[in-house]
Amino acid sequence: MSAVHRLAWPLAVANLVANIGIVITGGAVRLTGSGLGCPTWPRCTDASYVAHGELGIHGAIEFGNRMLTFVLVVLAIALWVVVLIDLVRSWRGTRAWRPFLIATVVLLGIPAQAVIGGITVHTDLNPWIVSLHLLVSMAIIGVCVLLLDVLRGPDREDGGGLRRLAWLVFGAAWVVLYLGTVVTGSGPHSGDLDSRRTGLDPQVMSHVHAAAVYLLVALTLGLALVARRQGAALVARAAGGLLALELAQGLLGFVQYFTDLPEVLVGLHMLGAALVSAAVTWTLLTTLGRSRGRSRGRSRGLVSGS
């Protein structure tokens, strides 16, 4: 195994962790009312790219979150270079392209997120743009999980009927994630005292969100039970883990709803949402066939993990 190959896996893991981390820090920006701590973009102010003392703690928090974007860029570029080197060295068919293409999506997603973040600032934290900003992060997290599976995912049979049910779970999860952003956009944590809300009734939207969660839990439970009955142990474990995460998220959601949305619980709920995105992606992937025959002959390549 070359030094380049050894770097691919930890870099892919680092990209996943970093993209989950940026969700947490982005949530901290909003929950502390620091969304306009830097009142413009790409500069922090009209005269400076960095925060200064007059912007106070809110400027420091917002500028700190922006700086974390550069960490994501460095990690994404490093990963992209590693898989590009493997592609140039191997040229062994379409399988050699998969890690490279997925790493490219991750890399391009970071500046796309930065631009969307800039739009949120220029629109004074329009809640619908903020919603898109978060959902793109959730999508990048899913792509990072896909890359990990391509690099070292276990061999498995095609899930057949389980695959169709897993797609339903995946779709329901994304409905839940989207509705969660709508609830947030109608609630009190706007990121800035002067930022407008969606105008939707937060109580009504919370009930709609909860109904979608009930559906997601039921579908996930069904997938776990059917997978166990069919002896698909990997799918059953993935669905079981996802189900546990969903139940924890649901409990946390109820507690924060009945305690008037304390910032710490909302932040934990956002972390849970990022983990749900990762877990539901992995659950779906466990139902998609992956055989040794397709990676045979690539024993020295990234796809086989060697």
Side-chain angles (χ1 to χ4, degrees), residues 8 81 184 196 227 234 242 259 264 271 286:
V81 169
T184 299
R196 68 182 180 89
L234 182 61
L242 175 61
T259 54
V264 172
L271 169 60
T286 61

Side-chain angles (χ1 to χ4, degrees), residues 87 91-101 294 298 303:
L87 176 63
W91 288 104
R92 296 178 181 174
T94 57
R95 289 280 289 175
W97 282 89
R98 293 191 68 199
F100 173 74
L101 293 176
R294 289 187 299 168
R298 285 190 43 78
V303 174

Side-chain angles (χ1 to χ4, degrees), residues 19-88:
N19 278 284
I20 292 176
I22 202 73
V23 170
I24 300 171
T25 59
V29 169
R30 180 168 57 81
L31 294 170
T32 58
S34 305
L36 295 177
C38 285
T40 189
W41 186 91
R43 295 174 182 262
C44 186
T45 67
D46 290 334
S48 174
Y49 281 97
V50 300
H52 51 74
E54 294 181 3
L55 297 176
I57 185 64
H58 294 309
I61 293 173
E62 165 63 4
F63 182 72
N65 184 63
R66 291 189 183 187
M67 290 299 98
L68 286 176
T69 301
F70 290 99
V71 176
L72 267 67
V73 169
V74 170
L75 289 173
I77 290 176
L79 176 61
W80 187 83
V81 169
V82 166
V83 295
L84 175 61
I85 291 173
D86 179 71
L87 176 63
V88 171

Side-chain angles (χ1 to χ4, degrees), residues 225-265:
L225 293 175
V226 173
R228 184 174 182 180
R229 181 177 300 176
Q230 294 185 5
L234 182 61
V235 180
R237 288 196 299 269
L242 175 61
L243 179 62
L245 185 57
E246 291 167 358
L247 293 175
Q249 270 288 85
L251 176 61
L252 185 58
F254 276 114
V255 172
Q256 70 175 15
Y257 178 80
F258 288 108
T259 54
D260 296 325
L261 303 176
E263 287 82 358
V264 172
L265 293 186

Side-chain angles (χ1 to χ4, degrees), residues 195-219:
S195 297
R196 68 182 180 89
R197 304 279 72 203
T198 62
L200 300 174
D201 188 324
Q203 186 174 12
V204 171
M205 294 312 304
S206 294
H207 287 299
V208 173
H209 178 56
V213 171
Y214 298 147
L215 174 62
L216 173 60
V217 169
L219 288 171

Side-chain angles (χ1 to χ4, degrees), residues 4 9 29 33 35 100 129 167 187 204 211 213 231 241 255-256 275 284 288 295 300:
V4 170
W9 177 260
V29 169
F100 173 74
I129 306 298
W167 274 111
V204 171
V213 171
V255 172
Q256 70 175 15
L275 295 177
L284 175 62
L288 304 180
S295 59
R300 293 187 300 170

